[in-house]
Amino acid sequence: MRRRIALASALSAFAFASLGAAPAQAAADATVSPMFAFRVARGAAVDVSYGITCPAGYNATVTVSLDQVRKDGLRASGTVTEQLTCAGTGVLEMGRVTAHISGAPFQVGKASLAILATGCNDQDCFVVPVNQEIQVQN
């Protein structure tokens, strides 16, 4: 467990340092950079870490969805929505995506990740969608 935390911290520091080259960008200079996903509670949830940079003073909503077709053909999926206030600098966030109660638990392996970050201030808004494959780790 301590190795996983140390590895996650090292990966976070490395990935956070490179937030300037984020893959998704919107008009209001908001970016989202998915980093890694760790399975928790025997697959009942996955902790998805991502970096987000958005203009100071914006109130943002970030929705993280994970969908996985397991090796046995069953589907595991879940969504989490979080609120944050933008500070104008990069911030490392983590969303715990809980598997739907009627579905299967998550497994180690590939999964489809979708992140939608939206935010507004009194004059402007931004929308940053990210859709990519991510490796769920143990």
Side-chain angles (χ1 to χ4, degrees):
M1 181 67 175
R2 289 179 191 227
R3 283 187 186 189
R4 183 186 308 173
I5 292 170
L7 175 63
S9 297
L11 289 172
S12 296
F14 176 74
F16 190 69
S18 65
L19 275 179
Q25 191 161 2
D29 292 331
T31 60
V32 175
S33 299
M35 293 179 198
F36 47 85
F38 283 107
R39 196 173 82 108
V40 294
R42 296 184 179 176
V46 173
D47 288 343
V48 178
S49 296
Y50 58 93
I52 182 167
T53 302
C54 51
Y58 282 63
N59 292 314
T61 301
V62 180
T63 302
V64 179
S65 299
L66 199 59
D67 188 56
Q68 181 182 54
V69 177
R70 297 168 18 132
K71 294 172 189 164
D72 57 9
L74 296 175
R75 181 171 299 277
S77 61
T79 301
V80 65
T81 301
E82 301 175 332
Q83 306 292 322
L84 61 98
T85 301
C86 300
T89 60
V91 178
L92 180 62
E93 291 287 326
M94 191 267 313
R96 180 161 283 179
V97 178
T98 304
H100 290 286
I101 193 75
S102 60
F106 292 101
Q107 289 183 332
V108 172
K110 294 179 183 178
S112 297
L113 173 67
I115 300 176
L116 179 63
T118 60
C120 293
N121 66 6
D122 295 336
Q123 302 168 1
D124 194 21
C125 293
F126 67 83
V127 176
V128 181
V130 175
N131 293 293
Q132 70 179 54
E133 193 172 88
I134 194 165
Q135 183 72 25
V136 175
Q137 303 172 37
N138 220 1

